[in-house]
Amino acid sequence: MTAGPSTDSALRHVLAHLLTPLLMCIGMGLAYLGAFHAPAPHDLRVDVVGSGPSAQVLAQTLQDKGAGALDVRTVADRATAVTSLREQGSFGAYVPGEKPELIVASGSSDTSAMAVEKVFTKVAAAQDAPLKVTDVAPVASGDPTGQGIFFLLVALSIGAYASVAVIGGAGAALPMKIRALLAAAMSLVVSLIGALFAGPAFHLVDQGLGGVWAMSWLYAAGILLVGVGLHTFLRRWTTLGVMVLFVMLNFTSSGGIYRPELQPGFFGALHAFWNGAGFVEGVRSHVYFGGHALGGHVLVLTLWFLAGAALVVAAGIVEARRGHASKAGEMTTPTAGERTRAAAGEKARFAEGMEEETEEEMEEAVAV
């Protein structure tokens, strides 16, 4: 038996849509393996406390042996080193002596603190002295690994971009104003869920929950507005587009697992302006470092929000023009009967296409 026309059509349809999961597979592999498969320090800023010749020699030796892994400087005293750590200007400070001490701030990044501790444990061992480790910005009791903020970012992101699939797909026939209001409402709901996770549910933060909620809302609203705006232009490719922006490039550059000092340069560059990094570093600054440099991180989130708002406005203008063009085309139809039949056929085709497109978007979103 040979395949009939309906079978051939269905097979072509399936093959065409298999392109999306293939692109997802390639994209996720390149992003996650490229960012996380071999973390290694480069230009990781550390301090050696002391101004004498021995401190200078130790700093230079570490700099030379590190071959680019460390950026070592000397500071005059312990207080200066602690201030630098609390302002996230360094990731470790070594106080040499008979009882050597390593000062870290795990709230900045637990993995960076571990990398620094590994280096200076060897230094202390060479002097046959046990190393005392002091943490001047410890993580919250409910987040012992310091990575809970990253997983909060994941939850907020999934809630936001899955909502994009619903609003853009199932709500495509709604006016843009209503879709924008739905996006705003969903961002509020998602952010409240995030605050519940961060505070009462898992105690990821011990203080500043109000600020965490505010940044959660700004982050989720930015994703939703960008996604809803993009849907007008990308249609069924919106899910893939949003995944690239807010999963593949976003999670890997956020600094939630490894800071840019432990990653390849591409992801370190994205860390400077991507919205996930703005959220993770903003929460760290707010909760662990007294709000130092918080304004810059909030600015990043705000710019993404404004970009989303601009996309929604642009999409609304484009849809309005499409609507005017459609009405103008209807006016040139020869007879009322033909207009009625054409409109009915077009409506049926549109409904069928939208239903199929919505199902595809929802399936892709659920699969992700």
Side-chain angles (χ1 to χ4, degrees), residues 11-300:
L11 180 60
R12 287 194 297 270
H13 179 79
V14 170
L15 291 175
H17 287 80
L18 282 175
L19 177 62
T20 298
L22 287 176
L23 290 175
M24 289 180 178
C25 177
I26 294 170
M28 293 290 280
L30 289 174
Y32 276 79
L33 293 176
F36 298 146
H37 84 287
H42 57 86
D43 298 319
L44 186 65
R45 175 61 65 83
V46 295
D47 294 336
V48 173
V49 178
S51 55
S54 60
Q56 296 286 347
V57 169
L58 176 58
Q60 189 61 51
T61 301
L62 290 171
Q63 183 77 38
D64 294 341
K65 287 185 176 180
L70 301 177
D71 179 10
V72 189
R73 66 181 181 182
T74 58
V75 295
D77 50 46
R78 189 180 186 279
T80 302
V82 170
T83 299
S84 181
L85 283 164
R86 286 178 172 162
E87 294 180 352
Q88 295 182 282
S90 66
F91 298 95
Y94 182 70
V95 185
E98 294 182 0
K99 297 181 179 180
E101 178 186 17
L102 176 64
I103 312 169
V104 296
S106 59
S108 180
S109 171
D110 187 64
T111 51
S112 296
M114 290 173 62
V116 171
E117 185 174 347
K118 183 178 180 180
V119 170
F120 286 103
T121 297
K122 294 179 180 179
V123 173
Q127 300 173 354
D128 294 325
L131 180 65
K132 175 186 177 182
V133 179
T134 302
D135 194 342
V136 296
V139 294
S141 57
D143 186 19
T145 66
Q147 296 177 6
I149 295 173
F150 171 76
F151 292 108
L152 176 61
L153 170 80
V154 173
L156 293 171
S157 303
I158 290 175
Y161 76 68
S163 299
V164 168
V166 176
I167 296 172
L174 295 172
M176 180 55 74
K177 290 182 179 179
I178 295 180
R179 277 177 278 162
L181 289 174
L182 287 172
M186 281 305 301
S187 67
L188 177 60
V189 173
V190 168
S191 67
L192 289 173
I193 294 173
L196 177 65
F197 287 160
F202 297 105
H203 304 286
L204 301 179
V205 299
D206 293 330
Q207 59 183 347
L209 185 59
V212 173
W213 165 76
M215 283 183 276
S216 298
W217 174 81
L218 193 55
Y219 173 75
I223 292 178
L224 272 152
L225 290 176
V226 169
V228 169
L230 283 178
H231 191 272
T232 299
F233 306 98
L234 300 182
R235 302 303 294 269
R236 66 173 298 270
W237 296 103
T238 303
T239 298
L240 180 60
V242 172
M243 271 198 62
V244 171
L245 290 174
F246 303 121
V247 177
M248 297 176 190
L249 299 179
N250 189 26
F251 293 173
T252 52
S253 65
S254 67
I257 301 297
Y258 299 113
R259 281 187 55 86
E261 294 83 7
L262 297 177
Q263 291 186 291
F266 172 74
F267 298 99
L270 292 182
H271 184 83
F273 61 91
W274 220 255
N275 62 336
F279 176 79
V280 169
E281 298 298 349
V283 171
R284 284 172 172 167
S285 173
H286 173 62
V287 175
Y288 298 127
F289 297 98
H292 179 76
L294 177 60
H297 305 310
V298 172
L299 176 62
V300 168

